[in-house]
Amino acid sequence: MKLFVKANKDKTAIGDCPFSHFAYMVGEHKNVPLEIVLIDSINKPDDFLKLCSAAGGSGTVPVLHDGDTVLCSSGRIAQYFQESFSSPDMADSTGGKASESVQGVFGKFAAMMKNKEAEKDEEMKIALRTELEKVNQWLTSNPGPFLCGDHLTIPDCSLAPALFHITTAGKKWKGFLIPTNLSALSSYIDTVFACDTFKKTCCSLEAPVQGWGKFFEL
């Protein structure tokens, strides 16, 4: 079973794609026997592009290839792992409420990072803070230390890569810091970043900074 993920700049390790990180986290936590294939995002191999095209994909990572099954989105890959490998159970046990509480984070972060109009920067930062406040409120109202309780689930694997980008690239390029009053979120970040699953599947601290650097003058 092959999981195609973005390679880093040197093409020696996983790169800064948060969606690749999400899918890899779920697979790793479920002990899925994966062969990780690093894809150069600038020069994608023809066989990879043909595989994606045959499955209706656009050539973006991550992509899972398992026999006759080819999946071209992180969400579908995570669900495939959940359905195919029963243990540990990583489903959102809150009826989707935990997933809903985190779903807006990466979109607001990406909008902030891609914004080139200085006068809109603060507006974009406020929008991201609002999404982080939703996560903090969820964590405050529900026993943790993770989003769905005492164990790592798919919503955690979706959120953690976004938080990693925020705390590295967001800090570097936009001066964005996690608000100090979001104490539940800060504790959560410490917990999830310390997980073996997160650490084993994460790119380097420099990778998100380099990746988002293309939107800024270097």
Side-chain angles (χ1 to χ4, degrees), residues 82-103:
Q82 172 63 17
E83 293 172 354
S84 303
F85 300 86
S86 59
S87 181
D89 184 6
M90 297 182 68
D92 182 344
S93 58
T94 67
K97 292 180 180 178
S99 298
E100 184 179 347
S101 74
V102 307
Q103 65 182 5

Side-chain angles (χ1 to χ4, degrees), residues 48-66:
F48 169 73
L49 292 173
K50 290 177 182 178
L51 180 71
C52 295
S53 178
S58 60
T60 58
V61 289
V63 171
L64 180 73
H65 185 197
D66 181 23

Side-chain angles (χ1 to χ4, degrees), residues 17-30 74-75 78 81-82 88-91 98-99 102 146-148 151-164 188 192-193 195 197-198 201:
C17 172
F19 305 105
S20 293
H21 191 185
F22 167 30
Y24 190 9
M25 273 190 78
V26 177
E28 174 64 25
H29 199 65
K30 281 185 165 289
S74 56
F81 289 155
Q82 172 63 17
D89 184 6
M90 297 182 68
S99 298
V102 307
F146 298 104
L147 291 168
C148 297
H151 64 283
L152 197 73
T153 58
I154 288 175
D156 295 298
C157 296
S158 173
L159 177 61
L163 293 173
F164 186 65
Y188 172 82
V192 77
F193 283 11
C195 287
T197 298
F198 178 86
T201 58

